[in-house]
Amino acid sequence: NPKRLCKMYDIDPKEYKEALGNASLCDERCAERDEASWDYLSEKEWIFRKNAEVAKRLDNDYALLEFTKPNTQFGYFAGFLVKLGLRKSGVFNRYHAYRTWSRWEKILFLPKIPDHMDDFENKNTLNKKKIKGWATEDSDYVEFGKHVTSVLLGRDVIQSVMLSIEHGHAFQIPLRIVIGVLEMFFYAIQVVFPFFIASCFFIIPICY
């Protein structure tokens, strides 16, 4: 969705329109053409493709398997969906139609740099809370404690529901709520269980 993309990454819709016109970032034919092109390959991909061509020419199946990406399915259910035609490819190729590299390069640098990024020049005034995903200086134990607390208090499920609303995926809300409640339940069991076992060492001798 171009409007959502522009809103999420602070892209001027006019600049987006000038860069792509009516073309879509999701285009199966363009994706196949760009993937076949040598212009958008990294150095590693270039070497792998060259080796794959040599392996194919020499009819070396083992080498060909080494230098090509298989259409991997995880579990019988995923393979069953592909056979039914409900899914076109494996999990790593589900967004194949978005590999329109010739179009992505036109909008890659359109997002504006946030004003607070200037604070990188002065670490003393940098407000790290402004930057989503900024790595904190807390230890792994503290981060784990924060995560468990967030799940048990229901913050995670609320954030998950709000994310669905923000992205316009209202149909995901019931499933996200169910998953969130189940997660809270299982986390609570893992937290309470050690205390229950410890209490048994005191309760059992008293009872007997």
Side-chain angles (χ1 to χ4, degrees):
N1 189 314
K3 290 184 179 179
R4 191 185 306 160
L5 181 70
C6 291
K7 182 179 179 181
M8 289 181 63
Y9 295 99
D10 195 19
I11 300 175
D12 188 335
K14 292 182 179 179
E15 294 181 2
Y16 182 92
K17 182 72 174 178
E18 291 175 1
L20 288 182
N22 294 323
S24 173
L25 292 173
C26 180
D27 189 319
E28 193 74 39
R29 290 185 179 180
C30 181
E32 290 179 359
R33 186 170 59 250
D34 288 351
E35 278 205 298
S37 172
W38 292 81
D39 296 334
Y40 304 106
L41 298 179
S42 65
E43 183 179 356
K44 181 180 178 180
E45 290 171 334
W46 194 93
I47 294 173
F48 269 50
R49 180 176 291 185
K50 272 291 185 183
N51 289 339
E53 288 183 351
V54 173
K56 190 174 183 179
R57 188 167 61 249
L58 297 177
D59 199 23
N60 188 333
D61 293 335
Y62 292 104
L64 185 62
L65 185 64
E66 180 71 25
F67 295 110
T68 54
K69 296 179 181 178
N71 191 10
T72 307
Q73 306 292 344
F74 292 94
Y76 295 105
F77 183 68
F80 183 66
L81 291 178
V82 172
K83 290 181 180 179
L84 289 177
L86 299 177
R87 183 178 293 176
K88 293 183 179 180
S89 57
V91 65
F92 295 117
N93 291 315
R94 289 176 61 185
Y95 299 100
H96 178 272
Y98 284 94
R99 298 177 185 178
T100 50
W101 313 131
S102 58
R103 297 177 183 178
W104 279 102
E105 70 172 358
K106 295 178 181 178
I107 66 165
L108 191 60
F109 298 103
L110 290 183
K112 297 179 177 61
I113 299 176
D115 294 336
H116 61 261
M117 295 297 285
D118 294 335
D119 293 336
F120 277 110
E121 299 298 328
N122 186 354
K123 294 182 179 180
N124 295 325
T125 61
L126 177 61
N127 184 358
K128 297 178 183 178
K129 293 183 178 180
K130 291 181 180 180
I131 305 176
K132 188 176 181 180
W134 182 276
T136 65
E137 297 177 357
D138 296 329
S139 66
D140 293 339
Y141 298 105
V142 174
E143 285 293 327
F144 176 73
K146 288 181 178 179
H147 171 67
V148 172
T149 303
S150 179
V151 171
L152 292 176
L153 294 179
R155 293 174 187 165
D156 268 24
V157 66
I158 293 174
Q159 291 176 358
S160 180
V161 170
M162 294 301 295
L163 190 65
S164 291
I165 295 174
E166 182 181 342
H167 290 175
H169 298 157
F171 63 91
Q172 295 180 352
I173 293 177
L175 183 60
R176 286 180 180 267
I177 292 175
V178 171
I179 293 175
V181 171
L182 287 174
E183 191 175 30
M184 291 170 62
F185 174 72
F186 289 120
Y187 269 55
I189 289 177
Q190 294 182 66
V191 171
V192 173
F193 186 73
F195 293 100
F196 172 75
I197 295 298
S199 65
C200 288
F201 286 101
F202 297 97
I203 296 175
I204 292 175
I206 294 174
C207 294
Y208 293 94

